Amino acid sequence: MKRREILKGISLLPFGTGIVAAVAPLTTAKAAGKANGRNLFSELGVRTFINAAGTYTAMTGSLMRDEVIEAIQSASRDFCMLDELQDKVGEKIASLVHSESAVVTAGCFSAMTLGLAGVLTGMDQKKVEMLPNLDGSGMKSEVIIQNGHNIGYSHALTNTGCKIIFVETIADVEKAINEKTALLWFLNVQSDKGSITHEQWVALGKKFHIPTMIDIAADVPPVSNLWKFHDMGFDLVCISGGKAMRGPQSAGLLMGRKDLIAAARLSMPPRGSTIGRGMKVNKEEILGMYVALEHFIHNDHEKEWKEWESRISTIERAVKPFKGLTTEVKVPTLGNVTPTLHITWDSTAIKHTTKTLQENLRNGNPSIEVIGNGDNHITITAWVMKAGDEKIVASRLKEEFTKAISV
Ligand SMILES: *Cc1c(COP(=O)(O)O)cnc(C)c1O
């Protein structure tokens, strides 16, 4: 056999079946884990579980909507020019969220890196290639952040070579601003941990002609947050696509000023020699993100909220009768805004520690993940569960607490 024929034969064997499987219609999210009847998770021995915890990256975020999977599959059958797709999708997204412009990024984190890159370089191609080496480049090099907003994600900003300058008060900001100041960055989820409000932050940016950026990664619902911060005057808004919006886990959005997003895109694929070359988003993710956003915006949010509440109440009702156990449903005011069940128990009445309960749930069948924080305390959310999961969680918790009653 000629080498070419051998290669052809090889390519028909293992990959042939894979391709057929990849284009087979998938109608349910459950089917998404299977390819041509294969359950790849069980084949590999990878544990899957009921996610009663929430949208955690370590737990692979959220499950994509069926419509997103369909968009991904249909997109996978054709080629297009990456930039043209980003242009057209960006225009649609911008009009949905009240921004001048938008681009699909590889998550909120990369939206922040790329947005700041755009602020630093403008449309100067030489500067784009210099990042993250700011010394002697003529580029600005400082980002101002409130102390309370420093919870780790600011690494997305230092990836550009910039340094973070921490402030507490408006007077601090005014003093800190100098010719090296590139950006004023705000973290919505920590907005109650800083003394400077959103509006004051935007006003400072306008007063000193410095762009403002806000991280709202996990801040929908409410859906109105998609446009609130553009309307308020932030120049750049960054959000995750694979949390409540149920788009691809590896997608997010950079939205805002047209000039800044055009500049940010100079650091994005397909362009090489950039800090963003490794932050590729493929056509499937771009279209999946777009469809996820559309569906999220047009969702019946009230109905969905009622569904979450009803699931949480199913679980609460199952555990409430236990002596020495208390339950409370709280809704966080900032970030992960969804009904959250807090279960606390008295260790003299129920012998489980947080850790043993978590481990028993994890090792049960089906496996269940909940969040454990502190002694004798777990929290549960229902927004990334599949319908019916709540009944299993309720009965497993009941079983576990029954087992652990002190006699
Ligand atoms: C999740 C999260 C990010 C990172 O978002 P990705 O979409 O995973 O890149 C950034 N900031 C905050 C506050 C987050 O919660």
Side-chain angles (χ1 to χ4, degrees), residues 134-170:
L134 299 173
D135 281 351
S137 68
M139 284 184 268
K140 297 180 179 197
S141 57
E142 294 179 358
V143 177
I144 297 178
I145 299 183
Q146 297 188 65
N147 282 319
H149 292 206
N150 185 32
I151 60 163
Y153 292 108
S154 52
H155 206 108
L157 307 167
T158 53
N159 279 351
T160 62
C162 278
K163 197 168 90 178
I164 307 286
I165 308 294
F166 293 102
V167 295
E168 193 68 48
T169 63
I170 291 181

Side-chain angles (χ1 to χ4, degrees), residues 55 57 106-110 112 151 153 185 187 189 215-219 239-243 249 251-252 336:
T55 58
T57 296
C108 181
F109 198 91
S110 83
M112 296 195 281
I151 60 163
Y153 292 108
W185 185 76
L187 178 56
V189 75
D215 169 353
I216 60 163
D219 294 303
I239 193 165
S240 296
K243 292 179 180 168
Q249 224 330 248
N336 300 308

Side-chain angles (χ1 to χ4, degrees), residues 92-397:
K92 290 279 188 196
I93 291 176
S95 72
L96 287 169
V97 301
H98 309 187
S99 71
E100 278 179 25
S101 181
V103 66
V104 179
T105 59
C108 181
F109 198 91
S110 83
M112 296 195 281
T113 304
L114 294 165
L116 176 55
V119 168
L120 295 171
T121 64
M123 297 304 282
D124 186 331
Q125 193 58 48
K126 278 209 195 76
K127 287 181 177 168
V128 169
E129 290 179 25
M130 275 182 229
L131 287 183
N133 302 305
L134 299 173
D135 281 351
S137 68
M139 284 184 268
K140 297 180 179 197
S141 57
E142 294 179 358
V143 177
I144 297 178
I145 299 183
Q146 297 188 65
N147 282 319
H149 292 206
N150 185 32
I151 60 163
Y153 292 108
S154 52
H155 206 108
L157 307 167
T158 53
N159 279 351
T160 62
C162 278
K163 197 168 90 178
I164 307 286
I165 308 294
F166 293 102
V167 295
E168 193 68 48
T169 63
I170 291 181
D172 288 348
V173 179
E174 299 198 333
K175 212 163 82 196
I177 287 175
N178 64 72
E179 71 285 351
K180 288 186 280 185
T181 310
L183 183 75
L184 305 183
W185 185 76
F186 197 96
L187 178 56
N188 191 59
V189 75
Q190 294 288 101
S191 49
D192 58 345
K193 304 287 190 305
S195 66
I196 310 172
T197 66
H198 296 86
E199 288 84 356
Q200 288 167 332
W201 201 251
V202 168
L204 282 163
K206 300 229 183 291
K207 180 172 171 189
F208 292 96
H209 304 287
I210 296 167
T212 47
M213 176 192 281
I214 186 166
D215 169 353
I216 60 163
D219 294 303
V220 291
V223 62
S224 55
N225 274 354
L226 282 169
W227 38 86
K228 179 177 175 180
F229 302 104
H230 302 293
D231 296 346
M232 198 183 276
F234 276 93
D235 296 295
L236 291 169
V237 180
C238 307
I239 193 165
S240 296
K243 292 179 180 168
M245 285 201 275
R246 296 177 57 195
Q249 224 330 248
S250 45
L253 297 172
L254 173 66
M255 307 166 280
R257 253 168 60 187
K258 203 172 187 137
D259 60 327
L260 295 180
I261 289 184
R265 285 185 57 184
L266 296 184
S267 285
M268 285 184 74
R271 282 155 285 272
S273 299
T274 62
I275 58 164
R277 181 61 182 82
M279 305 176 193
K280 194 192 290 184
V281 196
N282 65 25
K283 63 181 183 295
E284 292 82 0
E285 292 165 312
I286 294 170
L287 288 166
M289 183 68 245
Y290 168 47
V291 168
L293 178 75
E294 256 187 339
H295 278 270
F296 183 74
I297 289 175
H298 300 125
N299 207 13
D300 185 341
H301 293 277
E302 227 167 279
K303 188 173 150 210
E304 193 172 58
W305 189 272
K306 288 211 174 93
E307 172 63 28
W308 295 342
E309 279 183 333
S310 135
R311 290 178 192 171
I312 286 293
S313 113
T314 298
I315 300 167
E316 188 180 24
R317 277 197 314 270
V319 299
K320 218 183 170 90
F322 283 91
K323 258 213 193 109
L325 179 150
T326 54
T327 61
E328 192 182 356
V329 182
K330 295 195 232 179
V331 178
T333 45
L334 288 163
N336 300 308
V337 176
T338 188
T340 306
L341 176 63
H342 293 253
I343 306 177
T344 316
W345 61 93
D346 179 344
S347 56
T348 57
I350 293 167
K351 285 173 296 179
H352 274 323
T353 63
T354 300
K355 197 158 164 255
T356 52
L357 177 60
Q358 274 186 299
E359 276 171 6
N360 289 359
L361 292 172
R362 190 171 291 142
N363 296 331
N365 186 18
S367 180
I368 299 169
E369 285 291 338
V370 299
I371 293 296
N373 33 22
D375 293 337
N376 311 320
H377 180 92
I378 57 165
T379 60
I380 287 177
T381 66
W383 59 341
V384 293
M385 281 182 189
K386 289 181 251 185
D389 283 352
E390 73 280 6
K391 294 199 187 82
I392 302 170
V393 174
S395 84
R396 280 291 293 122
L397 281 172

